[in-house]
Amino acid sequence: MIADLVLRNATLPTGRRADIVVADGIVRHVGAAVRADETVDCTGYTCLPGAVDMHVHMRGGVQAGKEDWRTGSTSAVAGGVTVVVDQPNTVPPLTTPELLRARIREAEERTVCGFAVNAGVVPEADLAGMWGAGAMAFGETFAAPSSYGEGLDAETLRGLFARIHALGGVVTVHAEEVSGRAPATLADHDLARSGGGEARAVQKIAGLAPAGMRLHFCHLSTAASIEAARGTVEATPHHLFLSRRMFDPDDTRARVNPPLRDEETRRGLWSCWDRIDVVASDHAPHTIPEKSVPFETAPSGIPGVETMVPLLMAAVQRGRITLASVIEKTSWKPAAILGIPRAGFEPGNRADYALYPDEITRIDASHLHAKCGWSPFEGLDAVFPEEVIVGGTRAYAHGELREAHGAWYPGQGYLSRENK
Ligand code: DOR
Ligand code: ZN
């Protein structure tokens, strides 16, 4: 056999050294090398399966000033993320199969990483139509209002959950409770969308889901919320690595839903590390001009797809978390929840990888690839990948994007229709 690509002398997460032989985007063999069109020497790097970031807002369309599929997917790849799952709170929101298909076409034309698109969840949405058209999951479902999303009440959610459960899909939920007037500071914002309110919302929503429904809670920001959750839970790098006190009281760049919390709450979130199923970025870029308005009216959301795994890899280097836990939460678990083929080190696995050096560097927004050009993680420790393989192709090497095209991953509703 002549392979497309061989990753030579790769250090697998188990510590074993092996050559990974790839053809047609799939791992064919792990062991000794064969002849290949292209070889990557992995000596000195740790080889991780590409991350699946199951919560990004790639913008595009009329919001292309914030981000588009080319810049957003380049940012993903440069951070070791090889599959992104796009949220449906686009403008207009994705509520019909036609809109979903158009979104998939827009992504296909420009993306350099693998991608999937979720279906919007509102009462008038054609949920079954979007499921058949290839939606990956349902939501994020807004149980509280957020940027580009209206909040849904309990009875509406109950009805929508029943419809999605009947289809067999995963429901992903943004759970918060909102009170008071428009906040003027990060502390006000934390009060108006409190940690306690988030935990209450989680508990209430868990109670609305029919038994056996596949429920996933997005971006939980406190230990109490995680304890209240049923199903699978997601946490973001910003709630793990940032707290309010790291910013000026009215710094709009740190405004995000759910809000950044205080230091104690942030540490409490780390104490739940083992219960967190998925780390996802909630990459939600807004431009500096959009953020440069009074706090009360500033949009919520921060960029983060490129810095997610690098921040976690620095934590691995510092001995705070295990490499195995990072692989599980950034790649294998999200893939399993969604039914995306696993990237890894066994024959038949998806050939998506990122190679990480040992050295810790600091995040410098001027080196990142998102269109917005800023990062709330500026100056934090990180380990960025030197090489990234997408679908068996070298997509990114030593700071340079190479020729790459990402595949579309349809959801189970589309796949089961195809198999009939
Ligand atoms: O801060 C946020 N921004 N939270 C969300 O749930 C939506 C997101 C956005 O799309 O900007
Ligand atoms: Zn959200």
Side-chain angles (χ1 to χ4, degrees):
M1 172 175 79
I2 300 187
D4 298 332
L5 178 75
V6 171
L7 300 182
R8 210 173 289 280
N9 210 17
T11 303
L12 309 185
T14 55
R16 177 184 162 214
R17 296 255 178 110
D19 293 337
I20 304 171
V21 177
V22 174
D24 299 324
I26 303 287
V27 177
R28 301 294 163 178
H29 172 74
V30 179
V34 298
R35 276 197 308 133
D37 292 340
E38 190 156 32
T39 298
V40 179
D41 182 6
C42 302
T43 309
Y45 296 115
T46 302
C47 183
L48 259 66
V52 175
D53 187 342
M54 68 179 280
H55 193 138
V56 302
H57 302 266
M58 280 295 167
R59 313 300 193 198
V62 297
Q63 295 188 306
K66 296 178 194 282
E67 190 78 286
D68 63 45
W69 276 95
R70 178 54 56 99
T71 53
S73 64
T74 301
S75 189
V77 167
V81 171
T82 57
V83 180
V84 294
V85 181
D86 190 45
Q87 301 302 312
N89 64 335
T90 44
V91 180
L94 300 188
T95 52
T96 68
E98 292 73 29
L99 286 165
L100 187 96
R101 282 192 205 96
R103 183 69 174 162
I104 293 163
R105 277 197 301 277
E106 179 189 359
E108 266 177 338
E109 278 168 19
R110 299 184 58 75
T111 189
V112 296
C113 68
F115 74 97
V117 180
N118 282 356
V121 180
V122 286
E124 64 278 14
D126 179 357
L127 301 176
M130 287 188 284
W131 187 231
M136 175 53 69
F138 291 90
E140 64 180 308
T141 307
F142 286 96
S146 190
S147 302
Y148 316 114
E150 302 288 333
L152 302 169
D153 62 43
E155 280 323 300
T156 308
L157 283 171
R158 198 194 296 278
L160 288 162
F161 285 176
R163 283 166 63 192
I164 296 165
H165 181 47
L167 294 169
V170 181
V171 187
T172 69
V173 183
H174 177 134
E176 281 194 282
E177 223 181 66
V178 185
S179 63
R181 282 179 315 194
T185 62
L186 291 167
D188 283 358
H189 194 220
D190 183 4
L191 266 181
R193 296 169 170 267
S194 69
E198 182 188 76
R200 279 192 297 275
V202 167
Q203 192 160 30
K204 194 177 83 183
I205 289 155
L208 298 173
M213 190 187 84
R214 301 170 64 209
L215 180 60
H216 175 84
F217 283 101
C218 305
H219 46 51
L220 295 184
S221 65
T222 77
S225 302
I226 290 178
E227 276 155 27
R230 253 179 60 195
T232 50
V233 307
E234 172 188 300
T236 67
H238 44 277
H239 294 118
L240 288 165
F241 288 94
L242 303 177
S243 65
R244 279 196 274 121
R245 90 157 183 214
M246 298 172 185
F247 298 87
D248 286 341
D250 60 352
D251 189 341
T252 57
R253 290 175 314 160
R255 182 175 173 160
V256 61
N257 298 331
L260 298 186
R261 308 295 185 192
D262 57 24
E263 266 300 301
E264 200 186 330
T265 310
R266 182 181 81 90
R267 281 195 223 105
L269 188 61
W270 275 110
S271 73
C272 303
W273 181 246
D274 291 343
R275 168 67 179 95
I276 293 168
D277 296 286
V278 172
V279 180
S281 71
D282 196 4
H283 181 74
H286 301 284
T287 64
I288 289 287
E290 288 166 331
K291 286 281 198 181
S292 302
V293 296
F295 194 93
E296 290 87 333
T297 51
S300 294
I302 59 181
V305 68
E306 186 165 353
T307 43
M308 175 174 75
V309 185
L311 286 162
L312 294 170
M313 286 302 281
V316 170
Q317 293 274 340
R318 298 254 183 252
R320 292 183 61 190
I321 48 176
T322 63
L323 184 64
S325 71
V326 171
I327 294 172
E328 192 66 30
K329 293 172 206 305
T330 64
S331 184
W332 289 347
K333 199 65 183 268
I337 291 169
L338 299 168
I340 294 172
R342 177 194 276 234
F345 310 102
E346 305 284 338
N349 283 172
R350 178 162 55 83
D352 282 6
Y353 303 100
L355 302 181
Y356 292 86
D358 285 341
E359 304 89 63
I360 295 179
T361 56
R362 284 175 190 275
I363 293 175
D364 172 348
S366 70
H367 293 161
L368 301 176
H369 298 77
K371 198 177 267 187
C372 65
W374 61 277
S375 168
F377 301 104
E378 184 78 44
L380 265 58
D381 286 350
V383 180
F384 285 91
E386 288 278 337
E387 284 266 358
V388 181
I389 315 292
V390 177
T393 304
R394 288 176 82 186
Y396 181 82
H398 311 289
E400 295 294 322
L401 189 72
R402 297 160 49 106
E403 206 179 317
H405 184 76
W408 173 49
Y409 292 95
Q412 298 304 319
Y414 179 95
L415 294 173
S416 58
R417 223 175 54 162
E418 268 207 329
N419 291 338
K420 272 182 193 153

